[in-house]
Structures are given as structure tokens and as C-alpha cells.
């Protein structure tokens, strides 16, 4: 946060003369570490470190009055502690970054926006992705072990076979599977 304030110092000073800066400056922050827990506005928020190439966390949000819960996983490979952390959640939003490419979705070479995501010799090394991320089957297994009601597959790479991802998750998970899309809204 301090780095952002430094970067935008001039802009923030300008805005103070034009607009109220509530919500821009003076934001209370707390560094997330292993064992993080916070009570806010009728919700308890907890964090779990997950297994990724850089420090990354999963977050559980639990509503005090109803007990409804939502777990959002950070980038991670499949780990048992995540299933334990997400136990009995209503919704698990899970990284499922690695998936087969849907060749029908890949534009011609001249239109390919992100060639590093294409299959073949020029493509991204899949071993790098699988070392740090789940696939849809992993996500489904985590959701099944956790006993969640709904699994949302997210952190989707371009041009992936979303139908295959959904089938893979459904093959190991008994609950509802949703492939995330921009603007998706869910209620437990």
C-alpha cells in the first residue's frame, strides 16, 4: 500500500482539492500471514497459505449470523490443507489454470493475441503451470474432499476447452460445477 501511495502521491494530492479522498487514503491494512483471522461487519475472514511459486493465500469468508461461507483459493497446486480449510463451504472458487487447449478457439497465427498460450513448440511450458496450479480434476477433488456445495473454476487461461474442464471437475465432484466468466454473481 505504501508503494501505491508513493506512485500516486501527486494524483492523490490533486484529488484532495477536487474530491473527497475517503477510500483512497487512510485505508486500514493488515499484512496477511499464516494464521491470519479478522472479524469485519458480521463476517470472519481467515487465510491459509497455499503452495505456489510466490507467497499466496486462500481466503475463507464466513457470515456470522447465517454461517454461509465462501472460499477463494489463490494460485496453488493441489494440497490437502486447502480441502480441510474449505470444509463444508457453500462455494469454493478454485484455481484451475491448467487445461487442454480448444483448437477451435485459437485464432489464426496473425490474430493470436498471446502466442505463449498456444499449444506446440512455441507454447508455454505446461510443467511450469502444473507445478503451481490445479487443473479441473484437482479442483473437483479438493471440492469433493471439502464437501462444498458449489465449485467455481477460475484463473482460466485463454483458448482453453471449458466444456472439458467442466466435465473433468464433474467426474470427481458431486456438487454443482460452474466455469467462471466475467461478471458472474453467485448466492449460496
Amino acid at each position: 500500500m505504501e508503494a501505491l501511495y508513493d506512485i500516486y502521491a501527486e494524483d492523490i494530492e490533486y484529488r484532495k482539492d477536487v474530491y473527497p479522498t475517503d477510500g483512497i487514503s487512510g485505508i486500514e491494512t493488515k499484512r496477511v500471514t499464516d494464521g491470519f483471522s479478522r472479524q469485519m461487519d458480521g463476517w470472519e475472514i481467515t487465510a491459509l497459505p497455499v503452495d505456489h511459486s510466490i507467497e499466496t493465500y486462500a481466503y475463507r469468508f464466513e457470515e456470522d449470523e447465517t454461517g454461509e461461507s465462501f472460499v477463494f483459493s489463490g494460485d496453488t497446486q493441489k494440497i490437502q490443507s486447502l480441502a480441510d480449510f474449505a470444509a463444508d463451504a457453500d462455494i469454493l472458487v478454485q484455481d484451475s489454470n491448467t487445461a487442454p487447449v480448444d483448437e477451435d478457439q485459437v485464432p489464426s497465427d496473425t490474430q493470436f493475441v498471446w502466442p505463449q498460450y498456444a499449444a506446440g513448440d512455441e507454447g508455454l511450458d505446461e510443467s511450469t503451470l502444473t507445478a503451481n496450479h490445479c487443473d479441473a480434476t484437482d479442483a473437483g477433488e479438493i471440492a469433493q474432499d471439502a464437501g462444498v456445495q458449489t465449485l467455481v473454476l477460475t484463473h482460466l487461461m485463454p483458448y482453453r476447452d471449458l466444456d472439458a474442464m467442466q466435465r473433468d471437475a464433474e467426474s470427481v465432484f458431486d456438487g454443482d460445477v460452474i466455469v467462471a466468466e466475467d461478471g458472474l454473481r453467485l448466492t449460496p
Side-chain angles (χ1 to χ4, degrees):
M1 288 302 297
E2 290 174 16
L4 287 173
Y5 287 137
D6 288 345
I7 291 169
Y8 290 104
E10 185 178 327
D11 186 67
I12 291 170
E13 284 303 313
Y14 161 76
R15 291 180 188 283
K16 284 181 181 179
D17 293 334
V18 180
Y19 308 105
T21 57
D22 296 344
I24 295 175
S25 58
I27 297 172
E28 181 185 341
T29 62
K30 182 174 181 178
R31 178 147 174 80
V32 173
T33 59
D34 191 7
F36 173 88
S37 179
R38 181 106 189 235
Q39 287 283 342
M40 295 181 63
D41 301 326
W43 289 86
E44 180 177 12
I45 305 165
T46 53
L48 171 77
V50 293
D51 195 356
H52 189 54
S53 58
I54 60 172
E55 184 177 357
T56 307
Y57 292 87
Y59 296 91
R60 183 179 183 114
F61 300 83
E62 193 151 344
E63 208 272 335
D64 293 337
E65 193 171 308
T66 65
E68 291 176 341
S69 55
F70 165 84
V71 175
F72 181 88
S73 171
D75 294 350
T76 185
Q77 61 179 281
K78 182 181 171 193
I79 53 175
Q80 184 58 45
S81 59
L82 182 54
D84 298 339
F85 183 71
D88 300 320
D90 295 297
I91 298 171
L92 169 61
V93 177
Q94 176 60 46
D95 162 34
S96 52
N97 183 272
T98 58
V101 172
D102 180 349
E103 296 299 334
D104 292 335
Q105 296 294 320
V106 179
S108 69
D109 290 340
T110 58
Q111 297 175 338
F112 205 157
V113 177
W114 298 308
Q116 69 268 29
Y117 297 122
D121 294 339
E122 298 174 14
L124 185 64
D125 179 4
E126 289 289 326
S127 66
T128 301
L129 294 176
T130 58
N132 294 293
H133 300 276
C134 290
D135 62 22
T137 302
D138 294 333
E141 289 171 348
I142 292 167
Q144 185 68 25
D145 289 349
V148 303
Q149 295 174 17
T150 301
L151 169 63
V152 180
L153 304 176
T154 191
H155 194 2
L156 309 175
M157 301 289 279
Y159 314 120
R160 300 304 164 144
D161 188 337
L162 303 181
D163 292 335
M165 290 177 70
Q166 183 156 0
R167 285 191 304 273
D168 289 348
E170 288 173 340
S171 73
V172 294
F173 175 57
D174 295 331
D176 295 325
V177 176
I178 299 169
V179 178
E181 59 185 52
D182 290 345
L184 177 66
R185 292 176 185 237
L186 300 170
T187 55

